[in-house]
Amino acid sequence: MCNALDWAKQAGYAVPDDTAPVRFMRASLTPTLNLKNKVEIMEYLTEKGYPIQDTSWLPMDAYRTYPYTASTPIDISTYLSITRILQLSGLAYDLATVEKMKRHTILGATYWDHDGVANATVASQRYQTTLKAYKIYRDAGKTDALSSIQQFLLGDDPFYPKQREGYERMNTYEKSMFIQTVLPDITKKEGVMDAAKVSIPNFREDTLHFTQFPVTTIFDGNLPQMMDVHTQRELPVFISASQQWWDENPPPASSGFTIKTQFVQAGKTVEYLSTSLPAILQATITVDADAQYALIELPVPAGCSYGTKVFGESSVETHREYLRDRVAIFCDYIEKGLIILRYLSNLVL
């Protein structure tokens, strides 16, 4: 409510007493107040230009010994809020720990979320947690790190559909916070957005220009090993590129994903299949970073066929197709770590 009154005043609406929110917050800040509300009020006051001088109201011992242990009962959201309070108050804060807590998607976007931390933020708070970290980095002068965070925020947190049931987009509050926090940094011009212009210089002794979007271009023949793409716009321009070619001797690929397959019969890994027992082809996949919209194909070896076709066997899969020579498993979102996918197979003689 206090933020709403402040924003209403900034938008030109008449607010009878614009000091009321600050007075209310100060009156609400009492020693008996729970930690979460206490930190939220202090963060609000420092954001409004009222820095703190006394850190005794904050759990500084827990802050210094983060991440979470039995003696440091704060989560990542609280940690980032305390960091923000100290930053706005001109006091010493620990940016190195914030740096260690960041996570990446497989396409390079940066965000902050729980990572083995007890009592950490739930998935639906990932967006707000990342916004807090964004403000910390921005005001610390870490401008080179902002682009990858913006990439995640502009992606509208693609992990929401899987982990936040019933929601596939930012809610109204999150949209308003994005517009207030990030949009001024990527427009740079009082809200004026230039038309997008994309160019590929020195392409076959010429420069290609694109001004109408969306646009699809296919390049045939020999291409340079490196293609530079330039944009004359403050806002990002999203580009998708792909190549198709026939590789007669493809080497094993392990970039992003490492896949190991094996047969299992009677609960044991086997090298040779027995016709008297059902077999499971099991794939153990190591995911280097959070990924979205992944397609994983498990082969059907020669001499084998499907057993019972099972769908939704794993929590990470969205859809599964049984094809003639492989099983295609589609995943909206896969977290960094280890996953196991499998299907029932039969030996055909």
Side-chain angles (χ1 to χ4, degrees), residues 76-298:
I76 185 173
S77 181
T78 303
Y79 184 90
L80 291 173
S81 292
I82 295 174
T83 302
R84 182 65 174 160
I85 292 168
L86 297 174
Q87 182 185 53
L88 293 173
S89 300
L91 303 175
Y93 59 94
D94 186 3
L95 189 61
T97 299
V98 178
E99 179 75 12
K100 291 177 182 178
M101 292 189 294
K102 69 182 182 182
R103 298 179 65 176
H104 301 283
T105 68
I106 205 163
L107 296 180
T110 303
Y111 69 97
W112 279 258
D113 192 16
H114 58 87
D115 190 2
V117 180
N119 194 31
T121 56
V122 297
S124 62
Q125 292 178 309
R126 180 188 288 112
Y127 197 92
Q128 297 178 38
T129 303
T130 302
L131 272 175
K132 288 182 183 180
Y134 179 86
K135 290 190 285 188
I136 293 170
Y137 271 67
R138 180 194 61 197
D139 293 353
K142 302 292 184 179
T143 55
D144 56 337
L146 298 184
S147 178
S148 64
I149 307 175
Q150 292 171 357
Q151 178 183 340
F152 179 81
L153 297 172
L154 283 168
D156 199 13
D157 196 344
F159 311 142
Y160 268 5
K162 196 69 177 176
Q163 299 198 13
R164 184 172 162 182
E165 295 182 4
Y167 295 89
E168 296 189 4
R169 295 287 181 255
M170 292 182 286
N171 61 40
T172 302
Y173 176 75
E174 290 166 339
K175 289 178 181 177
S176 67
M177 292 304 297
F178 171 82
I179 292 172
Q180 182 188 46
T181 304
V182 182
L183 198 59
D185 295 336
I186 57 181
T187 56
K188 304 287 187 182
K189 293 183 179 181
E190 299 292 334
V192 176
M193 302 180 193
D194 294 338
K197 297 178 182 179
V198 175
S199 61
I200 304 178
N202 302 322
F203 181 79
R204 293 174 178 169
E205 301 180 357
D206 197 1
T207 298
L208 301 180
H209 297 281
F210 303 97
T211 57
Q212 300 294 323
F213 302 94
V215 60
T216 300
T217 301
I218 299 176
F219 302 115
D220 296 322
N222 295 325
L223 296 175
Q225 290 186 348
M226 297 292 294
M227 292 179 62
D228 294 326
V229 180
H230 299 273
T231 175
Q232 299 173 334
R233 192 190 191 194
E234 298 293 348
L235 284 172
V237 175
F238 294 90
I239 298 175
S240 175
S242 63
Q243 290 180 282
Q244 292 184 350
W245 71 93
W246 182 259
D247 192 344
E248 295 183 353
N249 298 296
S254 59
S255 177
F257 301 87
T258 303
I259 303 178
K260 178 183 178 182
T261 57
Q262 58 189 6
F263 274 114
V264 177
Q265 284 188 310
K268 297 180 180 179
T269 301
V270 296
E271 294 185 9
Y272 301 97
L273 294 178
S274 170
T275 58
S276 61
L277 294 172
I280 294 175
L281 189 141
Q282 178 173 291
T284 303
I285 304 169
T286 303
V287 185
D288 295 340
D290 293 351
Q292 59 176 348
Y293 307 128
L295 169 59
I296 300 171
E297 295 183 335
L298 306 183

Side-chain angles (χ1 to χ4, degrees), residues 37-90:
N37 291 337
K38 189 184 298 182
V39 170
E40 286 179 350
I41 291 175
M42 296 179 76
E43 186 175 11
Y44 170 84
L45 292 173
T46 52
E47 290 281 3
K48 300 306 175 186
Y50 298 91
I52 66 168
Q53 304 297 328
D54 182 8
T55 60
S56 62
W57 287 58
L58 296 172
M60 294 306 297
D61 289 340
Y63 178 80
R64 296 186 186 97
T65 56
Y66 191 84
Y68 183 91
T69 64
S71 60
T72 58
I74 61 174
D75 58 28
I76 185 173
S77 181
T78 303
Y79 184 90
L80 291 173
S81 292
I82 295 174
T83 302
R84 182 65 174 160
I85 292 168
L86 297 174
Q87 182 185 53
L88 293 173
S89 300

Side-chain angles (χ1 to χ4, degrees), residues 5-6 9 14-24:
L5 289 173
D6 290 334
K9 181 184 177 182
V15 177
D17 185 358
D18 58 3
T19 63
V22 171
R23 287 188 284 108
F24 172 78

